[in-house]
Amino acid sequence: MILERMKGKKIGVLGFGVSNRPLVDILLSVGADITVCDKAEDIENKEKYEALGVKFILGEEYLDHLDFDVIFRSPGILPTKKELVKVAARGIEITSEMNEFMKTCPSKII
């Protein structure tokens, strides 16, 4: 199962808006090592997540240090971004919340 393979992995979550907040909560529940990377410098509930062990890389250079086992990107960050193309070439898995849902959903997806 997808969650089991995330345990203990260094996970980068790119973008921390509506779509990735529930993802971070789920990843925390399985013991993933999570770093949120976001262009915004003011993140709602940042202190709450830091207290749970989430690290943050914020600001204009948020894509400069993508040293993770798995990267979850938000829908607004295209996989064709040069920083993502570069890390994908090194073999780092790049996925998204919705992509993982579709892989594990037991129902027919239309």
Side-chain angles (χ1 to χ4, degrees):
M1 181 175 183
I2 184 68
L3 293 178
E4 293 166 356
R5 74 181 184 86
M6 296 297 158
K7 184 176 184 169
K9 299 271 184 164
K10 286 176 56 178
I11 308 292
V13 176
L14 309 185
F16 200 51
V18 173
S19 65
N20 281 337
R21 288 178 191 260
L23 170 68
V24 168
D25 293 332
I26 291 168
L27 291 171
L28 280 169
S29 75
V30 297
D33 177 12
I34 305 163
T35 301
V36 169
C37 306
D38 198 293
K39 192 174 189 176
E41 301 214 17
D42 185 27
I43 300 293
E44 183 181 337
N45 295 323
K46 179 179 175 238
E47 294 78 20
K48 168 193 160 189
Y49 284 98
E50 285 177 324
L52 295 171
V54 176
K55 296 175 276 314
F56 287 84
I57 298 173
L58 305 174
E60 290 295 323
E61 286 109 28
Y62 75 109
L63 296 177
D64 288 356
H65 305 285
L66 300 178
D67 184 29
F68 304 106
D69 299 317
V70 180
I71 294 173
F72 283 85
R73 63 174 187 82
S74 71
I77 301 173
L78 298 177
T80 55
K81 254 185 128 35
K82 67 178 176 157
E83 295 89 347
L84 294 181
V85 170
K86 187 176 169 181
V87 296
R90 292 190 344 237
I92 294 174
E93 179 184 357
I94 300 172
T95 189
S96 69
E97 184 177 51
M98 289 309 298
N99 186 46
E100 295 305 320
F101 169 77
M102 286 190 250
K103 283 183 190 177
T104 60
C105 181
S107 302
K108 183 176 181 179
I109 298 174
I110 299 174

